Amino acid sequence: MEIAKELVLNLKQGKPSHSGYGLQKECELLINHILQNMVLSHLPELIPEEKNEEDSIQYREEGDQHFVMGDDDEAIKSYTMSLAYANNKELMSYAHANRSAALYRKQMFRECLIDIDAALNLGYPEEKREKLKERGAKAIDEIKKKFELKVNERVDAESFMKLCLSDDTNNAPVAVKYKKGSVKLSEMENKSIGVNEDSINGCKKEEEIPKAEEKKPRYLADEGPLKLAYGPSKEAPAASNGVAIVFSEKYGRHLRATKEFKPGDVVTVEDPYEYILYTQRYYTHCHHCLSRSYNLIPCLHCPVAQYCSEKCRELAWEMAHQIECPIMAIIGNLLNVDKDKIRMLTKIIRFLIMVTGKGKKMDELRADMEIAERNPDNRTAGFTDEGILDSSSARSALSLATNMTTRPLIGISAFACLSALAVILLATQTNFFCKKYEADELKDISEYSDIKFCGTLMFRACVITSSNCFSIQQEYRCLEGSGLYVTHSLYNHSCAPNTFRHFEGLTMITRALQPIHPGDQLFTNYGPAYAHMAKSERIKKIMQDYFFECDCSACKDNWPTYTEILEKHVGSINKNKELVEKLKPYKQRLEKNMYDIDAVKSVLNILYKVVSPPCEEIVHAEQYLKTYYLGKFR
């Protein structure tokens, strides 16, 4: 224990590094010591969560109770869990059938039909089918009403499904149809879904039905294709060419504007290097695309991962889940369902899978890291050989700041232990290292260079992801997961930022919240914002999570919260008759069309030329701009 403490202290007292590189030897010594001690100790029994009849029935009964009580959302979640734990087709058919009832009552008729079809194809008992078919027929009638078709109008299955499911019935986005016949669970396959012929009474084709018009995300429909203001940067393609990466001892590596940005301008657009779904969303959202789905289908092997479609299930398996699957089945029991530990463990395992190319590029990564370690320039740390900060590059991802020397001793120790546990799980539960090891084989860890290397990588992943990950929010006020966005990680924090972010799928988009001028540093918000949290609380939260003291304007001048600003009309322009008159046409435009976001942008441009925050009218306009893009109006 004393040796471990000394190694942690050596790490903390090392030369401060503003990037993820540096302190490599100190990290290796610490992780190797903990790894060796962990494999020599008695590891706890690893009991995986498995698909089984008892749990499947229990969750279905819980769903029935929620359904009787009128709580359809909880009923759907419980039926999804019943489906996840089902170990035979009969149990799966019951879960689909019961879930269809809750979906019908929620008036989600499209999703209801998907589950009915799945239940019938899985062999739902003959004596119960009549009621299920009646529900399906009612759902079809409701969909016909929606598309202004006559209730008794007969349409063929293919055209009908094109209308209410997708453009391509062979690739329905949330479709699930299981192979008929007696097969093992592992042999099941998903194919396209159509309404079962029995459920639509063998309707014959009479005429083509026009496809339902797909609505694009509102801001795309209004503004055309998403574009970075001034085009992409040559050094950081995810950022605008009006942005530069700069470095200073005070602020570390960060982003500064080199050109003017107007409110709403796109500053950065980026996909995540790696991402995970939050544990509380496991049975409501897809583990791959993180979208909410009411027709989730389970991983064929573990009861943990659920997917919105066969396509997502296949993509997830290929990307990472084939390695994660046995570990995800274990960690809930192993870590006593500690959500924070589970979240970090899943993050660092996913990170390792990505940086090593599923374990196939370790030698290449070692060589790449040696090149990066020799770069003395903090500004260009992690730049590729082509001279760019690449959102999909392991070298760039590993360059992100770690705050290693400012972290508390107990935090570093916890990360080191978690990393050692993660690499032992990979070695003993998967074939990540080309074979599945027995714990006794690892008694002398010095013989296994790849295992030691990966332990060190996951330790670095702990400190990188804890400081640089962003919550992913695809729905308004719903945080689905967490992602590592390389370029976005260069934004420093402000309690009153000049940008805001929103998501389209997994893509993070950052826009200017106010006029930004050349030379201005670009700020985002890490969570504590003056809008909703008093200064004393913010300072405590930022120091606890990110280990620095904020010196933004809101903290320096102790700005009031939004509630106080609005109640006391702080900075109000009401007495400035000339300014009020100037803004009047834009107010009238918004009264006629609440989606006229250009009017809001114009208001912000005008206000910032005359007044400074905190200001009641600026608060209103900025909130309007943010909620428009965050999807509140959708």
Side-chain angles (χ1 to χ4, degrees):
M1 188 66 186
E2 286 301 316
I3 296 175
K5 184 177 179 180
E6 184 179 341
L7 289 169
V8 172
L9 287 172
N10 286 341
L11 188 60
K12 280 181 58 62
Q13 293 166 3
K15 183 181 178 181
S17 173
H18 292 277
S19 75
Y21 293 106
L23 302 175
Q24 176 68 9
K25 291 182 180 179
E26 292 87 345
C27 290
E28 288 176 357
L29 287 171
L30 173 62
I31 294 301
N32 291 348
H33 175 77
I34 291 177
L35 256 178
Q36 186 63 70
N37 279 275
M38 194 171 285
V39 295
L40 290 174
S41 64
H42 181 68
L43 291 173
E45 186 179 2
L46 303 178
I47 305 173
E49 287 284 327
E50 295 179 336
K51 295 176 183 285
N52 66 89
E53 182 175 355
E54 183 180 351
D55 283 339
S56 180
I57 292 173
Q58 179 183 331
Y59 284 123
R60 189 172 78 236
E61 289 174 348
E62 288 180 9
D64 292 342
Q65 292 173 9
H66 288 303
F67 185 77
V68 170
M69 296 297 292
D71 191 342
D72 292 328
D73 287 329
E74 283 301 314
I76 290 167
K77 183 177 179 180
S78 293
Y79 292 139
T80 298
M81 295 180 75
S82 175
L83 180 61
Y85 279 85
N87 61 353
N88 61 61
K89 293 174 69 176
E90 182 181 7
L91 289 173
M92 296 176 81
S93 73
Y94 276 109
H96 278 294
N98 287 21
R99 193 167 67 181
S100 75
L103 290 166
Y104 182 86
R105 196 161 68 183
K106 276 181 68 71
Q107 299 185 30
M108 301 182 74
F109 305 116
R110 170 183 179 275
E111 290 81 359
C112 170
L113 284 174
I114 291 172
D115 267 353
I116 289 173
D117 186 82
L120 293 172
N121 280 291
L122 282 163
Y124 194 62
E126 287 292 337
E127 65 273 15
K128 297 177 178 287
R129 286 187 169 222
E130 193 61 37
K131 186 176 181 180
L132 199 60
K133 292 177 184 178
E134 288 177 7
R135 185 182 301 142
K138 290 179 181 178
I140 289 171
D141 287 344
E142 293 294 338
I143 291 174
K144 285 181 177 180
K145 290 177 186 177
K146 179 180 178 181
F147 290 98
E148 298 181 350
L149 299 172
K150 295 178 181 178
V151 171
N152 60 355
E153 188 172 348
R154 298 170 69 82
V155 294
D156 69 287
E158 183 178 356
S159 296
F160 187 83
M161 297 313 284
K162 279 184 178 179
L163 177 65
C164 66
L165 290 184
S166 73
D167 290 342
D168 181 1
T169 55
N170 292 321
N171 192 27
V174 289
V176 51
K177 184 173 182 179
Y178 297 99
K179 184 188 289 183
K180 295 181 180 180
S182 178
V183 294
K184 295 179 181 178
L185 187 65
S186 61
E187 295 173 345
M188 289 183 180
E189 64 177 13
N190 269 5
K191 294 186 180 295
S192 63
I193 182 171
V195 174
N196 189 284
E197 288 185 1
D198 292 337
S199 68
I200 61 169
N201 302 315
C203 297
K204 295 181 180 179
K205 183 174 182 179
E206 292 184 359
E207 59 181 280
E208 289 295 322
I209 301 173
K211 291 187 294 186
E213 183 180 351
E214 290 188 3
K215 289 187 177 180
K216 293 182 178 180
R218 187 195 56 262
Y219 80 84
L220 289 179
D222 289 353
E223 301 179 4
L226 188 65
K227 293 181 180 178
L228 286 163
Y230 308 111
S233 162
K234 292 180 180 179
E235 282 195 332
S240 160
N241 199 36
V243 172
I245 298 174
V246 297
F247 173 81
S248 73
E249 287 295 332
K250 180 178 181 180
Y251 292 111
R253 191 163 53 160
H254 58 280
L255 301 175
R256 284 192 181 273
T258 59
K259 297 180 181 179
E260 297 279 349
F261 287 91
K262 301 186 296 294
D265 281 353
V266 179
V267 183
T268 42
V269 177
E270 190 173 28
D271 291 328
Y273 181 76
E274 60 103 356
Y275 62 94
I276 54 109
L277 181 70
Y278 286 152
T279 53
Q280 63 267 34
R281 310 293 181 202
Y282 274 11
Y283 297 96
T284 56
H285 290 69
C286 177
H287 269 65
H288 182 66
C289 68
L290 273 56
S291 63
R292 184 186 294 275
S293 173
Y294 293 91
N295 293 111
L296 289 170
I297 58 174
C299 168
L300 297 177
H301 307 283
C302 76
V304 181
Q306 317 299 313
Y307 302 99
C308 67
S309 66
E310 173 62 17
K311 181 179 180 181
C312 272
R313 185 160 68 181
E314 290 175 354
L315 289 172
W317 186 261
E318 177 61 28
M319 183 176 80
H321 192 62
Q322 57 184 286
I323 298 168
E324 297 170 336
C325 186
I327 297 176
M328 290 184 74
I330 286 172
I331 58 176
N333 289 329
L334 182 64
L335 299 176
N336 298 317
V337 200
D338 184 319
K339 291 182 179 179
D340 290 336
K341 290 178 182 175
I342 291 173
R343 181 183 298 181
M344 181 55 73
L345 198 67
T346 54
K347 277 184 184 179
I348 63 177
I349 290 174
R350 177 66 64 88
F351 186 92
L352 181 72
I353 292 169
M354 301 306 293
V355 296
T356 63
K358 294 186 287 189
K360 298 174 183 177
K361 297 181 179 180
M362 287 196 206
D363 291 339
E364 181 182 323
L365 181 62
R366 281 189 179 95
D368 202 48
M369 288 175 66
E370 287 178 7
I371 294 171
E373 290 280 352
R374 292 196 294 268
N375 180 7
D377 184 5
N378 281 301
R379 192 189 78 82
T380 60
F383 277 32
T384 64
D385 292 339
E386 292 74 29
I388 64 171
L389 188 74
D390 187 347
S391 302
S392 60
S393 161
R395 187 193 294 186
S396 295
L398 284 163
S399 76
L400 300 178
T402 63
N403 299 323
M404 188 78 78
T405 56
T406 59
R407 291 178 180 274
L409 185 147
I410 191 170
I412 293 177
S413 302
F415 282 162
C417 291
L418 200 62
S419 304
L421 173 62
V423 79
I424 289 173
L425 288 175
L426 275 170
T428 59
Q429 304 300 313
T430 77
N431 293 313
F432 185 80
F433 297 104
C434 299
K435 64 168 284 187
K436 189 184 292 186
Y437 289 89
E438 295 295 330
D440 289 342
E441 293 182 76
L442 303 176
K443 293 301 182 184
D444 185 1
I445 203 69
S446 63
E447 297 179 5
Y448 302 98
S449 59
D450 282 350
I451 293 177
K452 292 191 298 178
F453 176 59
C454 288
T456 304
L457 281 175
M458 284 196 281
F459 176 60
R460 290 173 68 155
C462 278
V463 289
I464 286 172
T465 58
S466 65
S467 295
N468 295 284
C469 278
F470 290 86
S471 287
I472 297 170
Q473 183 179 348
Q474 298 178 348
E475 296 177 50
Y476 185 66
R477 289 185 174 174
C478 177
L479 302 179
E480 293 90 4
S482 175
L484 183 66
Y485 294 80
V486 174
T487 305
H488 278 85
S489 296
L490 303 189
Y491 281 92
N492 276 331
H493 165 83
S494 170
C495 299
N498 52 11
T499 71
F500 69 98
R501 58 186 182 270
H502 63 99
F503 290 84
E504 284 298 323
L506 296 171
T507 303
M508 188 194 294
I509 301 142
T510 294
R511 294 175 182 265
L513 181 60
Q514 56 190 243
I516 298 173
H517 309 292
D520 289 351
Q521 184 175 170
L522 298 171
F523 291 102
T524 190
N525 181 263
Y526 293 174
Y530 88 91
H532 312 293
M533 193 180 290
K535 177 182 176 180
S536 58
E537 295 177 67
R538 297 199 308 269
I539 290 174
K540 183 179 178 181
K541 179 70 174 171
I542 292 167
M543 183 58 71
Q544 176 184 311
D545 293 347
Y546 300 101
F547 318 107
F548 69 88
E549 189 171 329
C550 183
D551 65 350
C552 71
S553 298
C555 287
K556 282 181 178 178
D557 300 329
N558 197 15
W559 288 6
T561 63
Y562 277 7
T563 301
E564 294 171 311
I565 290 172
L566 299 179
E567 285 178 352
K568 299 177 182 179
H569 306 291
V570 175
S572 177
I573 64 167
N574 282 338
K575 294 181 180 180
N576 188 333
K577 302 300 181 183
E578 182 181 348
L579 184 55
V580 170
E581 195 63 28
K582 192 172 184 179
L583 294 174
K584 192 173 181 179
Y586 301 103
K587 182 179 179 181
Q588 292 171 343
R589 281 171 56 179
L590 284 167
E591 287 172 350
K592 290 181 180 179
N593 177 15
M594 66 181 293
Y595 298 112
D596 187 353
I597 202 63
D598 286 334
V600 180
K601 294 174 183 178
S602 297
V603 167
L604 281 168
N605 272 319
I606 293 169
L607 285 172
Y608 269 98
K609 288 178 181 177
V610 181
V611 296
S612 300
C615 164
E616 180 181 14
E617 285 75 16
I618 286 179
V619 165
H620 280 304
E622 288 185 346
Q623 284 297 97
Y624 203 109
L625 185 68
K626 286 191 286 187
T627 52
Y628 176 90
Y629 287 108
L630 287 169
K632 185 177 180 180
F633 298 154
R634 296 182 188 180

